[in-house]
Every structure is written in C-alpha cells, then in structure tokens.
C-alpha cells in the first residue's frame, strides 16, 4: 500500500515570499483572510492550518523591517475564532517556551482543544536572541544552548497539567517550581498535537523525544531523505516507532497549464517577491552595513562585510544562517561573476523557495514521489498570495492525489491526531 500524504496550510507572515503587489493579495490582519485560507484547507481535507508567530517585530538599521507584518492578531485569539468556522481542520499555533509559563499555556491549549473538539496543535519553539527578550521581564536570560533544556522542561510540565485535568498538580525542577489546581478538564485529545521546527542537533533530538510532527526546510529528494532518515533513527532511544513522528517540509508551489507556462509564472513570481529594495535589504543582512547607495541592478559591493556581535538586522534569522559572512560574500561574488548576475538576480538565485513548479498533474507526481521515497511524510504549503493562494492547488492538485489513492477523500475522524495518525 502506498503511503498516505499529509498536507497542511501555512498562513504567510514574517517572510519575503508574499507578493503584496498581486491584485489578489489581501490583508494579513482582517479575520476574513484567516477564514478564507482555513476554509479552503478544510475543503481540500488538509490535516491542519498553521500560524507562525514572532514575539517582536524584526528591525534593520534601527527601523522595522519592511516585509514584517505589523498588527498580526494574537495566535490563540485567531485559532479560537477559526474553531467556530471550521469543523475538522487542525488548528496549530506557534507558542514560545522561553518567555511563557507552563500553567498559562497549558490552560490556553486545553481550552482551544475543547473549543475545537480536539483539533489543537502546539508548535513548541524557543527564542534564540536577547533582542526578542527585551519585550519580556526576563529578557535574554538563557544561553542558546540552554533553551532546549527549558523547552523540554516546559513541555513535560505542561503535559503533567494536561494529564491532571481539574485536579491538584505539583512540579519542581531547575526551571519551574509550581503547584496548585489545574482548572480545565481533560480535553478531547488529552494533549494537543506537538509540532517542532528545529533543524539543529538539539532541535532534532527534542523532536525525536517529544514531537508528533517536525517541520523541515529539506524539500528536495536527497536532502529530504537524509533529514528523514536522521530524525526517524533517533526515535528508538525514546521507545518510539517511525510512525509516531510525521516529517513535514515547508513547500511553495507555482501551477501552470504546461511546464513552460509554470516556469514562466515562477520567474515572474520570484521577481515580484524580490524587488530591488528587497534585494538590497537582503544583502545588507550579510554585509551588515548600509548598502542603500548601491544599484540593485548593478554588481555586488566590492567592500567586505562587517563582522562582530553587532548586527543591523536584529531579530533576523540571517544572523544565524550566514555564520561566516565573509565566506558567503566570496561565494556570492563568484556565482555572480560566473552567471553575470546583478544584486537582484543574485538574491533571487540564492533565496529561491519554489519547491513545486509545473502543471497540476506534474506537481501531484512530484509530491507523491517524494513521500513514497521517504523524503517526507507530506508538506506544509506556503502560498505566495494571501488569502486565495491555496485555492488553485485545492481545486486541481488535491483531486489528482485523491485519484492516486494517496490522499484522503474525507476525514476519517474528528481529531487532529486522527488526521496525522499519531497517538
């Protein structure tokens, strides 16, 4: 029997992939946008709807980063509201374990699980920088290597509360010393589905020990198989089997009538996603200096990146991604010279995120092949237009996957754990 594919929908937010200039682009704040994407995902029988969240608006050069989303409503508020306008779709929220407390988070997720009849999921994340921590009393009070220790303690403390239901609890360790009475009855799932997105050694181990699903950025065959094999091989030491952890890479898509049509659309989308100004701002994150005087259609800067602890791109993942900016700049100059690329062309090349490009039947085949070859168990789809960017996929690709017998024609159970096949 072929493996069954899992699909989830990501509501785009803090990234550079949303095409704001598209005539179909809508609000990232109005509730109608969340409803549209969620109901499309449910119509297509997706496993869950996923909300990412940042605890502080990112900055660049001391100002709010141009492509950050200002005014995104609170995650729990949005998901609780969506519970009333959906029936079976899982509702996943990103909640930080570094700057929250187990009692309150457990109470919120138990409540969401009740309100949704068993569809809650918690993407457990840590915060890696003191910049984000400045919004909180404790600030950046943990070293990066200690944050997964707190995250695991946080999660296991929350589990104790979930399992208690209305009753007394007590928990003491190096991070928490709490006792009292938990005020929410045991919810339909018992515990929310646990999602994890770490790619580091600590993140992979944390997922193997605690998560029901892990996000991945490895969406190609070779890289996907390597990641898949690695995280699945870690499960046995925790007494878990391969089917108890679902691997879900993030993926984008561009559909067209033919391969040539889809490739042409994809090229247009990439240039829409990376304007000249966006390209300069992206390059500044590596060079760590003001490059506003450079022409995005001209050559890369001949000056070297500024190194050190101070960064102009506070809260940006690039601070961790480009660990050796001087080497990165050298490699990018070589690539630009070899391909005759301008700054904008180079940024488009190095930041390409289009996973699936082609007609619907081709995309269905690509997705199915990757899952059947154990490069993934499914994908979290990230549309480049909000909120209608998932519509075409739902109407064209999903029926083809259903015809192949690799994707559900209808939900088989009421809870998210039923959709994912995890208990």
């Amino acid at each position: 029997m072929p493996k069954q594919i899992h699909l989830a929908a990501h509501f785009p937010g803090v990234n550079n992939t949303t095409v704001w200039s598209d005539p179909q682009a809508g609000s990232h704040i109005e509730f109608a946008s969340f409803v549209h994407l969620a109901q499309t995902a449910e119509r297509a029988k997706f496993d869950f709807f996923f909300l990412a969240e940042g605890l502080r608006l990112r900055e660049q050069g001391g100002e709010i980063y141009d492509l950050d989303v200002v005014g995104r409503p609170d995650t729990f508020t949005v998901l609780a509201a969506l519970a009333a306008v959906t029936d079976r779709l899982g509702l996943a929220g990103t909640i930080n374990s570094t700057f929250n407390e187990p009692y309150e988070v457990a109470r919120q997720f138990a409540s969401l699980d009740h309100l949704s009849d068993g569809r809650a999921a918690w993407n457990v994340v840590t915060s890696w920088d003191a910049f984000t921590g400045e919004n909180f009393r404790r600030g950046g009070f943990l070293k990066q290597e200690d944050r997964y220790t707190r995250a695991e303690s946080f999660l296991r403390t929350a589990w104790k509360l979930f399992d208690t239901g209305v009753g007394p609890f007590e928990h003491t360790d190096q991070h928490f010393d709490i006792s009292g009475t938990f005020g929410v009855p045991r919810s339909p799932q018992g515990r929310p589905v646990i999602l994890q997105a770490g790619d580091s050694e600590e993140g992979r181990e944390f997922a193997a020990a605690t998560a029901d699903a892990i996000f991945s950025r490895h969406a190609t065959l070779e890289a996907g198989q390597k990641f898949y094999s690695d995280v699945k091989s870690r499960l046995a030491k925790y007494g878990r089997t391969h089917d108890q952890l679902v691997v879900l890479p993030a993926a984008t898509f561009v559909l067209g009538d033919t391969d040539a049509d889809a490739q042409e659309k994809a090229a247009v989308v990439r240039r829409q996603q990376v304007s000249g100004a966006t390209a300069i701002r992206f390059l500044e994150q590596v060079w760590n200096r003001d490059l506003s005087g450079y022409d995005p259609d001209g050559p890369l800067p001949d000056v070297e990146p500024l190194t050190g602890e101070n960064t102009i791109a506070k809260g940006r993942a690039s601070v961790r991604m480009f660990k050796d900016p001087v080497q990165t700049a050298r490699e990018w100059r070589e690539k630009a010279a070899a391909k005759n690329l301008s700054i904008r062309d180079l940024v488009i090349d190095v930041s390409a995120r289009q996973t699936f490009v082609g007609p619907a039947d081709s995309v269905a085949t690509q997705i199915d092949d990757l899952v059947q070859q154990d490069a993934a168990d499914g994908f979290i789809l990230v549309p480049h237009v909000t909120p209608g960017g998932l519509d075409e996929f739902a109407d064209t690709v999903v029926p083809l996957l259903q015809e192949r017998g690799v994707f559900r024609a209808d939900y088989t159970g009421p809870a998210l754990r039923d959709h994912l096949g995890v208990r």
Side-chain angles (χ1 to χ4, degrees):
M1 292 293 292
K3 289 171 61 178
Q4 292 296 296
I5 295 169
H6 296 282
L7 294 175
H10 175 266
F11 189 94
V14 287
N15 55 57
N16 72 334
T17 61
T18 303
V19 179
W20 300 95
S21 59
D22 190 289
Q24 300 301 313
S27 172
H28 281 235
I29 300 172
E30 294 174 2
F31 184 53
S33 292
F34 295 96
V35 172
H36 185 118
L37 188 64
Q39 290 184 339
T40 301
E42 184 165 75
R43 171 168 58 82
K45 312 305 177 187
F46 277 33
D47 290 48
F48 61 89
F49 170 95
F50 171 61
L51 276 181
E53 182 170 89
L55 293 180
R56 180 166 180 174
L57 292 171
R58 302 164 300 173
E59 295 183 9
Q60 190 155 331
E63 298 179 345
I64 294 174
Y65 181 61
D66 292 4
L67 295 180
D68 221 339
V69 175
V70 179
R72 170 67 69 82
D74 170 73
T75 292
F76 278 114
T77 306
V78 172
L79 294 181
L82 288 175
V85 296
T86 56
D87 295 314
R88 289 289 180 265
L89 184 70
L91 302 170
T94 301
I95 299 297
N96 193 288
S97 64
T98 306
F99 301 115
N100 286 298
E101 295 297 326
Y103 180 89
E104 184 166 21
V105 170
R107 183 169 61 94
Q108 291 168 315
F109 270 113
S111 299
L112 178 62
D113 208 47
H114 275 293
L115 293 173
S116 64
D117 294 325
R119 296 184 281 136
W122 174 12
N123 179 32
V124 184
V125 297
T126 66
S127 182
W128 60 274
D129 66 333
F131 171 74
T132 299
E134 291 173 1
N135 272 353
F136 299 86
R137 176 175 62 84
R138 295 185 179 183
F141 73 104
L142 285 178
K143 295 180 180 179
Q144 184 171 348
E145 58 268 24
D146 295 332
R147 288 174 185 158
Y148 276 110
T149 303
R150 175 184 165 94
E152 185 166 359
S153 174
F154 190 113
L155 182 55
R156 296 195 182 279
T157 305
W159 277 346
K160 184 178 293 186
L161 296 169
F162 292 134
D163 294 343
T164 296
V166 177
F169 67 85
E170 184 174 349
H171 182 90
T172 300
D173 62 22
Q174 69 182 95
H175 293 287
F176 306 107
D177 182 9
I178 60 175
S179 62
T181 302
F182 193 55
V184 184
R186 187 168 172 80
S187 71
Q189 292 188 118
R191 302 172 178 178
V193 167
I194 300 300
L195 311 176
Q196 213 280 320
D199 192 45
S200 64
E201 179 68 20
E202 297 90 344
R204 296 182 186 202
E205 203 67 22
F206 180 53
T210 63
D212 299 302
I214 182 170
F215 301 157
S216 161
R217 58 186 176 85
H218 305 290
T220 59
L221 179 61
E222 184 177 354
Q225 287 177 325
K226 184 177 180 180
F227 179 85
Y228 189 96
S229 175
D230 178 72
V231 295
K232 296 275 188 173
S233 70
R234 298 170 188 253
L235 294 167
K237 74 175 73 172
Y238 300 105
R240 307 179 68 198
T241 57
H242 277 209
D243 60 351
Q244 290 180 293
L245 180 66
V246 179
V247 178
L248 300 171
T252 59
F253 59 91
V254 178
L255 299 170
D257 294 333
T258 64
D259 283 321
D261 178 47
Q263 291 292 343
E264 184 177 341
K265 286 183 179 179
V268 171
V269 169
R270 287 302 295 141
R271 295 198 72 79
Q272 289 175 320
Q273 290 171 323
V274 183
S275 67
T278 297
I280 293 295
R281 301 292 265 179
F282 184 91
L283 211 66
E284 287 178 344
Q285 294 164 30
V286 176
W287 262 253
N288 197 29
R289 60 166 80 227
D290 181 3
L291 300 178
S292 58
Y294 285 83
D295 180 1
D297 294 319
L300 270 65
D302 52 7
V303 296
E304 291 301 315
L306 294 176
T307 59
E309 294 185 2
N310 294 325
T311 174
I312 67 169
K314 293 184 177 181
R316 298 287 298 164
S318 56
V319 176
R320 293 173 296 168
M321 188 184 306
F322 304 115
K323 295 180 180 180
D324 187 346
V326 174
Q327 176 62 24
T328 299
R330 184 178 303 116
E331 293 172 356
W332 286 2
R333 287 196 187 101
E334 291 174 358
K335 175 175 285 198
K339 295 184 175 182
N340 192 29
L341 302 177
S342 66
I343 290 175
R344 186 181 182 192
D345 292 333
L346 184 279
V347 171
I348 289 172
D349 185 275
V350 301
S351 66
R353 297 186 182 183
Q354 291 164 339
T355 315
F356 303 117
V357 178
D361 58 347
S362 173
V363 169
T365 298
Q366 293 172 56
I367 290 173
D368 191 23
D369 286 348
L370 288 171
V371 171
Q372 303 309 328
Q373 295 181 71
D374 287 343
D377 291 314
F379 294 91
I380 298 175
L381 297 176
V382 187
H384 62 266
V385 173
T386 302
L390 191 64
D391 295 8
E392 186 179 7
F393 187 99
D395 293 334
T396 61
V397 179
V398 168
L400 295 172
L401 295 174
Q402 292 168 333
E403 287 177 10
R404 288 169 174 250
V406 295
F407 189 70
R408 68 175 66 88
D410 202 354
Y411 294 111
T412 56
L416 177 54
R417 289 190 179 277
D418 295 316
H419 309 344
L420 290 169
V422 294
R423 288 293 173 188

